[in-house]
Amino acid sequence: MNSLLLRIRPFLQTLRYALAFVWQSSPSLAVGSIAVRVVQGLLPLAVLYLTKLLIDAVTEGLKVPSQEASLTPIATILAGLAGAAVISAMLTVGASLISRIHAQVVTDHMHALLQAKSVEVDLEYYENARYQDTLHRAQQEAPYRPTAILNALLQCFQDGISLLAMAGILWWLHWAVIPVLALTAIPYFFVRLQQANRLFAWERERTPLERKAWYVNMLLTQATAAKEVRLFDLGPRLQKWFREARTVLRQERIALERRWALAGLAAQIVGVIGVFGVYSFVAVRTFHGLLTVGDLVMFFQAIQRASGFLEGLGWSVSNLYESNLFLTTLNEFLAIRSKLPQAVRPRPFPASLGQGITFEQVSFQYPHEERVAVRDFTFTIKPGEHVAFVGANGAGKTTLVKLLCRLYDPTSGRITIDGTDLRDYAIGDVRGAVSGIFQDFVKFQFSAKDNIALGVNASEVALPVVAQAAKQAGVHEAIERLPKGYESLLGKLFDGGHELSIGEWQKVALARAILRNSQVLILDEPTSAMDAKAEAELFERFHELAQGRTAILISHRLSTVKMADRIFVIDRGQIVEQGTHDDLMGRQGLYASLFLTQAQHYQ
C-alpha cells in the first residue's frame, strides 16, 4: 500500500503542476480544448446506441414481409449516424487546431520562464557544472515536453469521458464487467509507471555525458572553433569522442527499451485475456436469448472501445507521470535563488559620486576553488579619478571588476560607494552606474545600430545619438562604409551579415559602453587586439570621453596605463605597489621590472 502511495503521490503532484502550467499559458484556449474534448468523449456513446438501433431495426425488418416493411426508421438512424460522423470530423479538426495553437503558446510560455530565470540567476551559477546540467535538462525537454503535457492532459480528459460513457453501457450489461476490464488494464499501467521512473533516473545520471556529446557536436558544427578544427585537423578526433559518448547513451537506452517492450507485451496479454473473457460472457448471454443481435454488437463494440480507452487513459496518465522528468527539472531550475542578498530597504544611489569607491580589506574566493582570487584589497578611487590595475594574467584584476559590478559579493571585507556598502543599494542601481567592456565581450549578431543601442535600456535610440557614440569610439567611419551603414547586419551568423575586424568589434563594444553614460567606466583589456597606433589613438580618446567620470582600466600591457592618475600593481591576488607611472618606475620594483621587460619588445 505504501509503495502504491509513493507512486500515486508524485503523479498527482505532476498532474496539478501540469494543469496549472497549461492554464497559465492561455485560459481561453484551455477552456476551448476542454469543451471540444467533452463532446468528443460523449460522441462514441451516441454512435454505439445508434448502431444498436440500426441493427435491431434491420433485424425486425427482416421479420416483416417486404411489401409491408418501411425504410423510414432505418433511414432516420442512418442520417443520425452520418450526422455524428460529420460532427466527429469537425471536432477532430477543431481539436487538432486548438491543440497545435495551444502547444505553441505553452512552449513559448515555458521558454519565457526559462529565459527569465536564466537572466535572474547569479554569474556564479554559470561557472557551476551542476547548474549547467540542470539548465541543459530543462533546455533539452523544451522542444517537446510542453506539447506532450498538453496532449496527454487533453487525451486523458477525452478518454476519461468516453470511458465513463462506455462504463454506463457495460453496467447495463453487468456491473462485474467494469472491474474485470479495469483489473486487466492495471498491469500495463504499472509497467508504464516503472518505465517512467527508470527513464527519469537514467536521464539524470547521464546528463553530464549527454552534455559532453552536445558540446563536442557544437565544436564540430558551429563557427566557435571552426578555425582550430581545420588548422589542427581536429575533426576525426572530435567525431571519435562524439561517437563514443553517443554509443554509450544509445546502447543503454536500447537495453532499457528492450526490457520495457517485453514487460509491456506481458501486460497486454493479460489485457487481451480479460477482454476475450468478457466477449465470451456476452456471446453466451446472446446465445441464450437474453440479448438481441443489436445488443451483442453494441456490447462487443463497447468492450472493445472501453479496453482501448483504458489503454489510452493508462498511456496518457503514464505520459503525464513521465513528464515529471520535465516538471521536476523545470521546478528545480525555477527554484534557484540568487545568493546575492537584496536590500530590504535599498538606499538611494547617488546621482554623482561624492566620496568615491572604497575597497576595505576585500578578499574573495570563487566557489569550489581553493585558490584565493583577491586578498585584502584596500584602496579608494576618488570621483573622476582614472586608475589602472596591472599584473599578469590570473593575478585577480578582472575579479575586482566582478566584485564592483556586484556579480559576486566579497568573501570578507566590504565595498562602499560614497560610504555606503554596495549591498545596501539595489543591485540594478549598482550595475546601472557602471559601464564598460570586457576582454571577452559579446559580438552581437545584430545591426550596427542595435549593437551600440544595447548600451541603454530603451526601446528605441535615435540614430544621431548612436552615431555620436560610434564617433567617440572611433568606429563611425567603418560602419558608414558598410552597404547599409548603421542598418547593416554585423557578423556572419545570419544571411547578409558583414564581419568586422577584432579591433573594430572592440570599438563597437566601446561605443556601447560610452552610450550608457554611466558614472564609472571600466575597460578590461580593451586594446588587446589593436595595433600600437590604434591603441594610442584609443587611449587619447578614452581620456577625453572619460572626463568627469571615474575610469578603471584593467591591463597587463603596461604601455597603455602611463596616463592613469594612479596605477595599482597586482601580484597573486594582492596589491603590491601603487602610484603614478613615474613613482613606480622610480621605486624599481615589480612594475618597473615588468615595464622594462615589455619595453624590450618595442626596441
Side-chain angles (χ1 to χ4, degrees):
M1 185 66 179
N2 290 334
S3 176
L4 180 62
L5 289 175
L6 288 175
R7 290 174 180 269
I8 293 177
R9 193 172 299 162
F11 163 70
L12 293 177
Q13 186 179 21
T14 298
L15 183 60
R16 181 170 60 86
Y17 283 148
L19 286 169
F21 187 74
V22 171
W23 179 264
Q24 290 169 4
S25 65
S26 177
S28 59
L29 286 173
V31 170
S33 296
I34 292 171
V36 170
R37 297 289 178 152
V38 166
V39 180
Q40 280 188 307
L42 293 174
L43 198 59
L45 177 63
V47 171
L48 282 184
Y49 187 69
L50 288 172
T51 302
K52 164 193 158 41
L53 293 179
L54 177 63
I55 293 174
D56 285 342
V58 171
T59 304
E60 289 299 320
L62 292 175
K63 298 177 181 179
V64 179
S66 58
Q67 62 272 18
E68 299 179 10
S70 174
L71 292 177
T72 301
I74 295 176
T76 302
I77 296 171
L78 284 172
L81 284 171
V86 171
I87 293 173
S88 177
M90 293 171 60
L91 290 173
T92 300
V93 172
S96 176
L97 178 60
I98 294 174
S99 176
R100 290 174 186 275
I101 295 173
H102 204 172
Q104 294 297 317
V105 174
V106 170
T107 299
D108 290 345
H109 179 66
M110 189 279 307
H111 279 301
L113 291 177
L114 288 180
Q115 291 165 359
K117 178 56 67 173
S118 297
V119 173
E120 175 190 331
V121 298
D122 303 336
L123 181 64
E124 173 187 338
Y125 288 104
Y126 284 91
E127 299 171 352
N128 183 300
R130 290 185 179 179
Y131 168 81
Q132 293 293 340
D133 287 345
T134 303
L135 177 60
H136 179 79
R137 283 194 294 267
Q139 289 175 328
Q140 286 294 98
E141 301 293 333
Y144 76 95
R145 192 62 70 171
T147 303
I149 292 173
L150 176 61
N151 291 337
L153 277 171
L154 294 176
Q155 195 60 48
C156 185
F157 186 75
Q158 180 180 337
D159 288 342
I161 295 292
S162 297
L163 191 58
L164 287 175
M166 295 304 105
I169 294 177
L170 294 176
W171 185 276
W172 184 15
L173 173 64
H174 196 284
W175 66 268
V177 171
I178 299 172
V180 168
L181 290 177
L183 286 173
T184 58
I186 288 177
Y188 179 73
F189 175 67
F190 276 102
V191 166
R192 289 281 299 160
L193 289 185
Q194 187 180 36
Q195 175 183 348
N197 284 328
R198 288 183 178 177
L199 180 62
F200 174 68
W202 178 78
E203 289 204 5
R204 286 188 71 90
E205 179 185 352
R206 282 307 188 184
T207 295
L209 185 59
E210 176 70 33
R211 195 157 60 86
K212 178 183 177 181
W214 173 83
Y215 172 71
V216 174
N217 181 66
M218 181 194 69
L219 293 177
L220 285 165
T221 59
Q222 297 186 13
T224 310
K227 292 189 292 292
E228 285 83 352
V229 168
R230 284 150 182 80
L231 179 62
F232 296 104
D233 192 25
L234 300 180
R237 194 182 314 174
L238 292 175
Q239 287 177 302
K240 178 175 178 291
W241 290 348
F242 179 79
R243 284 196 303 270
E244 288 173 349
R246 288 303 310 168
T247 297
V248 171
L249 294 170
R250 184 179 66 253
Q251 289 178 345
E252 290 181 354
R253 183 61 184 264
I254 289 174
L256 288 174
E257 294 288 353
R258 285 173 177 167
R259 287 198 293 270
W260 296 335
L262 292 174
L265 177 60
Q268 286 187 327
I269 289 174
V270 172
V272 169
I273 293 172
V275 168
F276 275 87
V278 178
Y279 276 167
S280 301
F281 174 71
V282 174
V284 169
R285 288 177 68 85
T286 304
F287 180 78
H288 287 121
L290 300 175
L291 299 173
T292 66
V293 175
D295 291 336
L296 171 70
V297 173
M298 182 182 69
F299 286 133
F300 264 40
Q301 289 191 1
I303 294 167
Q304 183 182 20
R305 294 195 180 196
S307 177
F309 291 142
L310 274 171
E311 183 175 338
L313 185 63
W315 182 271
S316 300
V317 169
S318 59
N319 278 344
L320 280 175
Y321 184 81
E322 182 181 314
S323 294
N324 183 56
L325 171 66
F326 167 71
L327 292 173
T328 300
T329 300
L330 179 62
N331 291 331
E332 181 182 344
F333 179 72
L334 295 179
I336 295 174
R337 294 292 178 263
S338 172
K339 296 181 181 180
L340 300 176
Q342 294 271 14
V344 178
R345 295 180 179 176
R347 299 282 298 274
F349 199 87
S352 60
L353 298 186
Q355 302 174 32
I357 302 167
T358 300
F359 278 58
E360 299 177 2
Q361 295 183 313
V362 170
S363 296
F364 179 74
Q365 182 177 9
Y366 285 101
H368 313 296
E369 286 190 15
E370 296 182 2
R371 181 178 65 88
V372 178
V374 167
R375 189 188 303 275
D376 295 328
F377 269 28
T378 300
F379 59 86
T380 297
I381 304 174
K382 300 174 184 178
E385 188 177 18
H386 295 182
V387 300
F389 291 87
V390 301
N393 290 330
K397 305 185 300 297
T398 298
T399 298
L400 75 87
V401 173
K402 293 179 180 178
L403 294 172
L404 179 58
C405 296
R406 217 184 160 207
L407 299 174
Y408 290 94
D409 277 341
T411 306
S412 63
R414 69 174 192 154
I415 304 170
T416 66
I417 290 182
D418 282 3
T420 300
D421 195 308
L422 283 188
R423 288 167 284 204
D424 293 330
Y425 294 121
I427 293 178
D429 290 345
V430 173
R431 294 175 183 168
V434 179
S435 180
I437 61 171
F438 295 94
Q439 186 175 7
D440 56 347
F441 65 91
V442 179
K443 302 175 183 177
F444 292 104
Q445 308 285 299
F446 304 136
S447 71
K449 178 186 175 183
D450 289 340
N451 252 283
I452 298 173
L454 286 173
V456 294
N457 186 16
S459 58
E460 186 63 34
V461 182
L463 180 58
V465 177
V466 173
Q468 179 61 29
K471 289 175 183 177
Q472 289 181 289
V475 74
H476 173 71
E477 293 182 357
I479 293 175
E480 284 286 279
R481 287 194 297 268
L482 297 174
K484 296 182 181 179
Y486 281 86
E487 297 301 325
S488 298
L489 193 65
L490 300 186
K492 288 291 187 180
L493 185 61
F494 300 107
D495 188 34
H498 302 273
E499 189 58 75
L500 301 179
S501 69
I502 294 296
E504 288 170 337
W505 271 114
Q506 284 187 311
K507 291 178 182 179
V508 169
L510 181 59
R512 187 162 55 241
I514 294 169
L515 187 64
R516 190 175 177 87
N517 197 29
S518 299
Q519 298 187 54
V520 181
L521 181 62
I522 299 174
L523 302 179
D524 185 359
E525 303 284 6
T527 61
S528 60
M530 295 183 181
D531 57 38
K533 180 180 178 182
E535 178 184 41
E537 291 176 354
L538 175 65
F539 274 91
E540 288 178 7
R541 190 176 293 113
F542 165 72
H543 277 280
E544 180 182 344
L545 65 91
Q547 291 300 318
R549 290 194 277 181
T550 302
I552 298 174
L553 172 64
I554 310 293
S555 181
H556 69 275
R557 189 183 297 176
L558 304 189
S559 62
T560 64
V561 301
K562 294 170 60 177
M563 292 180 285
D565 298 326
R566 270 192 302 159
I567 301 170
F568 295 88
V569 183
I570 303 176
D571 185 38
R572 299 180 183 180
Q574 292 182 292
I575 297 175
V576 294
E577 294 176 353
Q578 62 174 297
T580 65
H581 171 75
D582 292 338
D583 291 339
L584 294 173
M585 290 300 293
R587 294 177 192 176
Q588 296 184 350
L590 178 60
Y591 177 85
S593 174
L594 291 173
F595 186 88
L596 293 174
T597 300
Q598 291 185 11
Q600 292 177 359
H601 298 289
Y602 295 95
Q603 295 177 353

